Structure formats: C-alpha cells, structure tokens
Amino acid sequence: MKATFASLIAAAVAVSTLMVPPVQAEPAPTHSISIPQAAPGWSFGEGISFGTKNFSGVVRDSKGTKYTCAADGGVYSLASSLVSNGSMKAPKQVNSLKVVGNVPAGATPKKGTVKDKKKLGQMAYIASLAGKPSDVDAAATEAAIARVGGVYSGSIWEKAAQGKLKTGKALKPAAVRSGELYAQAKKYAGPYKATLKIDLPENSSEGTIRGIGLTSASGKNVPGHPFELKLSGPATFVDGTTSIKDKTASSTQKIDIRTTGDGKVTATLVIKDVADSRPWISKGTSDRGRAQNLIVLGKKTEISAQAKAQSTSPMFEPQIATEVKDKQVGKGDPLVDVLNVTSKSGTWPFVKKTGEPITIRAKVDVYGPFSSPRAEVKDGAEFAQSLIGTYSVDVNGEGSYQTDGAITAPEEGFYFFQARVDPKDQGKLSEKITAFTSPFFEASETSVVQWQPSIVSEATAKALDDGGVGIRDVITVSGMPEDHGDFGGVSDWEADHQVIVHSLYFVPAGTEHTEGVTEDLEALATVETPAANGEYVIEADQFPMDLDLGVGTYQVVSEFAGDARVVSLKTSDIEPSEQAKPEFGTVRTEAQVVGADTLTPEGTIRDTVILEGAFPKGAYTDVDLYTWEAGGEPVCEEAIWTAERIEHGNEAGEYHTDEYTVSDSEVAVYGFVERTYDQNGNPISTGECGAESETIQVVAPPAATPPPTTAPATPLPPATSAPIAPVDLTPSASPSTPAELPNTGFDAKSLIPISLALICIGSIAFLVVRRR
C-alpha cells in the first residue's frame, strides 16, 4: 500500500495485498503483500514483513478493529491508488466468500467460492482466535484461512515453507503454525449447538439438568468456554442457589436440582466467548470495481439453550441426622438425643393460608441395655423387647432439636436411639410427608453406661527359695461385664482391653509417700492378669524385692486402661494393703573391757557389732559412746567419743570398733549406742541408750594392803633387766624435770611410795588416757 493511501480501506492490507500496478493498465495479480505504510487512519499491527514492500498479518482501522485478508488476492490491492479513492464497507456476516490464492509474482492463483457452512465456520473460528496474536500467529491466521478456502497450495506461505520463496523466508514459521490452526478449526469450529434437558420425576423434589456443554460442527465438545446456568420457577440447585457459573468441559455435564413447589421450571444456559459460525467480511471497492475483502479478527458471540419442565407438588422429605448428647452417661442419668432436622429439598414447606412453616412430629425410640454394641441394621425386629421408652418431638423447620431427658439409664450397658417420621403421625399432612427411619444401633445414636470395676488386693512378703524375699499378691477383680474380653469392637466402639497391669515400685525412705508418687518411678517388675472378674495370684518370685535398694516401701499399683465398655482404673499409690517393707538381718552389740574382766579407771573398752542375716550393699554402722553417773538414769544426748565407721556392706559377721580408754576419775558408767544405716543414710537398726549389753561401769580398784611389820625382809629376786637408775622425784621447773603425770585426782606426792614400790618389784607402769 502506498503511504498516501487516503481511505480507511488500507486496514485490509493485514492479509495480502498486490503490488501497485501502473494506473493506465489493469495489473495482473502478483499476490505479494505490499507497502510498508498504511493509509491515513489505518495502521499495521502484528505480522511479518518480507521482501521490500510486502506484509502478512494484521491492520487496524481508525476504531481499532483488527482485520486480515479473507483469502483474497484480489486484482486491486488496497495500496492501489484506484482503491484509495474508494471505500471499505461495514463488515457483515456472509453465507459465501470468493477466494483467490496469494501467489508469488508470475504465478497463476487458484480461485473459488466458499459456500460450505463448515468451512465458513472454520474461517470464523480461526479469525476469532486472533484477538491478540503474536507476529507469527497473525501471519499464520491469514495462511490458515487460505487453507480453509482451498487456495493455500502454491501460495507464498507454502513456497516459504518449501524454501522456494527467496524473499519470504520469514514466513516459514507462520506457514507451519497455520497447519495447526487449521487442524484445530476442523475439530472445534461451528456451527455450534447447545442442548439442555430437565429430568424431573413426578412427585419427586429431585431432578437433573443434563446436556450442559458446547458441541462443534464436527460433533466434538468444546472445552474452556465460560457459561452461566440459571434456574427460574419453583426450583434451586442443591446448594440453594439459582445460578451457577463454570466453564464447558470436554464432555457434557449434568447438575442436580431440587424443586420447591408446583409450577414450570426453566433452565437457561448462556455460553460466552464462542466463535461465530460465519465470518464477518468487510468488502472493498475501487474506481474500477472490487478490491480485496477483509475478515474481522477476534470477534466472538454467545450460544444459548433453554429447557423447561413441569414440577408437581412434591412430597416433603424430612431428613434427621441424630446423635446422642452424651456418649457416656452414668447410671440413672437422662438419656438425651439431639435431632438435626433438614429438608431433603433444601426448602421447608409453608402453610399457604398463614405463611407459617408446617409442623411435623418425629418420634425417637430408646432401646437397651445391651452388654455390647452391635453393627447398625435397618431391621429392628430383634430389639423389639428391649424398647424402654419413646420421645415425641415436634419440629417446624430446619434446625436442632433435643429430647427432654425423661428416659433414664437404669443400669450399666449400651443404649441406642432410633428416630423416625411416620406419615400416620402427621394428621392432615399425612399424604404429603415421606416416611423417614434412621438405622438401629447407629454408632452416633448409641450411649453407654460404663461398668465400674473394682480391684482389691493383699500383698505380703514371702521368702524365696534362693534366700531372697518377694511379694506375693492376691488380686480380686469384680464389677466387669461377665463376658469381658469377648467383645471385638464395632464401628467406633473399641474392643475390650484384655489385661490389668500390676507394677511393683520401690519408694525410698525419706521420699514423701503420697498419691502419685509412683508416676516418676520406674517399675521394678510388671505382671499382667486377665481383665475379667475373678481371683488372681502373683507369686513372690514374680515380684522379688531388691534389698540393695535399702530402706523404703515396696508398693504394688494395678492399672486397667479402660475400653468402650469399662472405665479405666488405677489403684492408689498409698494403699496400705499393697505395701511391704524389706526385712533386713539383726544387729547385736556387746560392750567389752579390753584385757580385763572389769573396768577400772584408765581401763580400755570397745564395742563389738554382730550382724546376722541379709543387709543391703553399702550398709555401715556408727557407734557413739556416752557416760553418766553411777546409779543415775542413762543419758545419751552428747557423745563423748565416736568410733571409726564400720563399713560392712551386706556382709554378715562380727565387727569391732577401735578402743577407748576411760578416764581415771571417780566411778562412772559408760554406754555404747549402735546405729546401722543403708547406703543412703536411712537407719536399719538403732541401739538403745543404756542397753545392758552395751553398758560398763567403772569399778574402783581394791585398796593396797601394806606388808606386815614383823615379817622378815624378802630378798629381791635376781634382776631380769638392766639396773634401774635412781629416780629423782623432787619437783623441778628445770628442762630436765620429768613431765607431769596425768591428772588422777590425787596429790602427786602420794604416788611416790607406790612408784618406789613398783620400782622395787622390777616393773614400770605407764598411765595413759586415750581420748578422741
């Protein structure tokens, strides 16, 4: 097209235009697309330029409408000065279209007229896809329309695809793409049809709309087109609405509806963004006749369909979803049921005269008790003898209703509710109400009064054959269902738990033995017995004591985990009948005078600890020494001496303390007190203050008897040791003065004769007081 093109016709150049011929001669069609410039008010859009003056693609008119060549390599291109003096007519749908091949210069174009509705529909479909094309798709659209028109063979696009169009190599991708568009058009192009059908059974509130979709001329369902389906008359969709928006699918769809009364029900389907079944063509004229035809791009329409059906007054179908108020109840508690009432149609009927909702009567039967729940069934004949009462509930609309609780649970067991709506109970509405019955023994409609078991036991310590000690426990279980252990579970009711678990714990001395004390302790042993009524014995070897744990309390705790039929149970952590304490061996003690029969001043004593039997590892004994006046009451408040600790572990035997030398004071009483502990410092044995075996009294030595004055002197025996040097007994403060003698309560001078006497008999006595 020439840049001076004055008319709006230039928009048609979007497809293919002819080379500008000399004005004086009518040119032969060369069918190469021409000019780099559109006429005033027109502009080039997406497409591919090739050669020097050729273009394949889209042009826009002054209003922005997009066009491309309608498979028309007409004699006069829109670039012709002849056409520039002419005009483009307003586009309109056509029933036929003349086509001319767009061929390289010098080639003879194919011609023809397209009248077939399918082919016209395919042209319209391809044009509808090019609303916002890429450059390649813009050129491909023109080529695909040429394919539909039968003038693609020998065209510039085919030559470009074959590499035979030297100046049109850029057209090759468009030529390939045009084949894809053509194949798509043959599958999904119009003329289209959409059909609806309403299935509405007589005297039923439920119906179905079928056939929702869009069908192409080839019989394929066309997916992806938005649609809106509307209902009018006494009907709604199942969600209560009257309008649904969605997209067409690759197969026809169906949607369920519900009627709400008498009258005509109409369904209207509108499918949007559908290609026209015939192309929209704008024809060009010139001073010499016809110029190129253009086809409008991106043009779409709507397809609609409608269906009608007559709704007769439907039967009212109430729906009752029931559930017990409490899954677990106690003996004597009310059995209460909750009814969640709805209308199957989604609409509750009204009384025409008053506008008030109708009232229907529902009945709820209560059955029980049963030792275990059953699987739900429709036939309740087997339960007829177990009916314990019936509730009547009047309902006047959708919502939740509750029975009044006048029926109570007489004993342990399972109870179920069965709700029903009987037309015979509806008075004048009996012919319009549909019966409703819930299942028998429905899980949501079952309550239980659980059994409350009892576990009574008596634990006693008993010697074991290996010399150890264990706890023998006699367990008595009662209060379980007689068949407990047989129920295997049904629905959401769990099976019987099969065992009771008995655990032995050790609570160390010094630990506060209160309820819950065993929660943080590890069981020493665990034994299981059947979770059924009866007496069970746990032998002592199953619950052995570990004496090395030391002083404390062994506690047996029994626990039943509970199940659908029986409540859980755990015996007390402080139950006295389930406790036992370890019995260790005996401790005997005996105070001894070392090296003499009696204790005299400055004598030496010790204590002997005798262990017999079993003791825990790490056990030890402390011994304290006390003193009090002779003849007075024993006083053990402040020890005057403590022996070195005796570490004897768990070994029986005889152990001696280290020795203690009493003072040289007047007569007194000395008493030992023994205390034996486990490794944690908990006392195993404690001696008695003033115990006879632990008490020694100091006895004064007899007074010395002087020799007779008339007796002849006894000659000294021969010396058995070195001669004794003379001893100077005169007190002196000089460094050579001997150390002072221990304080005995006597004047030192009075000891001189005794010392001399001792020297005279050839021996020396040392007076030593050992103190700690």
Side-chain angles (χ1 to χ4, degrees), residues 204-417:
S204 174
S205 61
E206 295 184 346
T208 303
I209 300 175
R210 302 183 187 276
I212 302 168
L214 181 67
T215 306
S216 70
S218 67
K220 302 291 185 180
N221 286 291
V222 186
H225 290 282
F227 72 81
E228 183 174 13
L229 180 64
K230 291 184 176 181
L231 276 177
S232 60
T236 67
F237 297 110
V238 292
D239 62 358
T241 64
T242 57
S243 176
I244 289 179
K245 292 182 178 181
D246 204 342
K247 288 186 177 182
T248 57
S250 55
S251 60
T252 56
Q253 299 166 268
K254 64 179 182 177
I255 296 178
D256 293 333
I257 63 173
R258 291 176 178 172
T259 60
T260 57
D262 295 333
K264 184 178 291 185
V265 176
T266 301
T268 302
L269 175 68
V270 177
I271 304 173
K272 299 180 180 181
D273 295 341
V274 181
D276 278 300
S277 296
R278 294 178 293 157
W280 289 77
I281 303 296
S282 176
K283 295 183 178 181
T285 61
S286 73
D287 293 345
R288 304 248 181 127
R290 189 180 73 81
Q292 289 180 342
N293 295 331
L294 302 180
I295 184 170
V296 180
L297 301 178
K299 193 169 182 62
K300 295 183 180 181
T301 188
E302 296 180 348
I303 300 293
S304 61
Q306 195 174 77
K308 296 181 179 181
Q310 184 67 33
S311 170
T312 58
S313 180
M315 297 289 287
F316 176 53
E317 298 180 75
Q319 301 289 298
I320 304 178
T322 51
E323 59 182 354
V324 294
K325 181 181 179 183
D326 298 301
K327 201 77 170 173
Q328 295 178 352
V329 296
K331 184 188 298 187
D333 287 350
L335 293 166
V336 179
D337 198 27
V338 178
L339 291 76
N340 296 307
V341 182
T342 58
S343 168
K344 191 172 184 180
S345 66
T347 302
W348 196 270
F350 288 82
V351 179
K352 291 184 179 180
K353 293 183 179 180
T354 64
E356 296 294 323
I358 66 170
T359 298
I360 64 172
R361 172 159 292 183
K363 290 187 175 180
V364 181
D365 296 324
V366 186
Y367 296 85
F370 303 92
S371 65
S372 59
R374 318 274 186 86
E376 67 177 53
V377 295
K378 294 293 185 181
D379 185 359
E382 64 174 305
F383 306 117
Q385 300 302 317
S386 300
L387 178 66
I388 62 173
T390 299
Y391 289 111
S392 291
V393 182
D394 290 338
V395 298
N396 59 356
E398 294 186 322
S400 182
Y401 299 83
Q402 185 171 296
T403 60
D404 59 21
I407 303 172
T408 59
E411 58 185 281
E412 293 92 345
F414 289 82
Y415 300 84
F416 73 82
F417 299 85

Side-chain angles (χ1 to χ4, degrees), residues 341-580:
V341 182
T342 58
S343 168
K344 191 172 184 180
S345 66
T347 302
W348 196 270
F350 288 82
V351 179
K352 291 184 179 180
K353 293 183 179 180
T354 64
E356 296 294 323
I358 66 170
T359 298
I360 64 172
R361 172 159 292 183
K363 290 187 175 180
V364 181
D365 296 324
V366 186
Y367 296 85
F370 303 92
S371 65
S372 59
R374 318 274 186 86
E376 67 177 53
V377 295
K378 294 293 185 181
D379 185 359
E382 64 174 305
F383 306 117
Q385 300 302 317
S386 300
L387 178 66
I388 62 173
T390 299
Y391 289 111
S392 291
V393 182
D394 290 338
V395 298
N396 59 356
E398 294 186 322
S400 182
Y401 299 83
Q402 185 171 296
T403 60
D404 59 21
I407 303 172
T408 59
E411 58 185 281
E412 293 92 345
F414 289 82
Y415 300 84
F416 73 82
F417 299 85
Q418 194 250 347
R420 52 192 172 88
V421 175
D422 190 338
K424 296 179 181 178
D425 297 328
Q426 312 310 318
K428 295 180 180 180
L429 297 173
S430 60
E431 295 182 357
K432 285 294 183 180
I433 303 296
T434 301
F436 171 84
T437 303
S438 67
F440 292 86
F441 242 128
E442 191 175 9
S444 65
E445 280 287 81
T446 305
S447 292
V448 61
V449 179
Q450 289 184 296
W451 277 260
Q452 305 279 340
S454 171
I455 301 175
V456 178
S457 54
E458 186 71 30
T460 55
K462 184 179 179 182
L464 301 177
D465 293 340
D466 60 2
V469 180
I471 295 176
R472 185 177 188 269
D473 205 6
V474 179
I475 311 294
T476 303
V477 180
S478 61
M480 294 274 190
E482 290 304 318
D483 63 344
H484 194 263
D486 296 340
F487 176 57
V490 63
S491 185
D492 56 354
W493 296 103
E494 62 182 319
D496 288 346
H497 192 70
Q498 298 293 321
V499 296
I500 299 173
V501 179
H502 312 275
S503 300
L504 177 65
Y505 298 93
F506 177 73
V507 183
T511 301
E512 190 176 4
H513 197 144
T514 57
E515 199 68 70
V517 67
T518 63
E519 291 179 1
D520 297 325
L521 299 178
E522 184 175 351
L524 302 180
T526 299
V527 177
E528 293 181 350
T529 60
N533 297 331
E535 183 177 281
Y536 306 93
V537 177
I538 300 175
E539 296 297 347
D541 59 353
Q542 295 176 283
F543 273 167
M545 288 185 179
D546 183 356
L547 295 184
D548 287 337
L549 295 174
V551 181
T553 303
Y554 289 87
Q555 178 78 53
V556 179
V557 177
S558 301
E559 185 170 8
F560 174 65
D563 51 41
R565 301 204 289 167
V566 182
V567 299
S568 61
L569 173 64
K570 183 179 181 181
T571 60
S572 172
D573 288 323
I574 57 175
E575 172 57 47
S577 66
E578 283 291 81
Q579 295 176 0

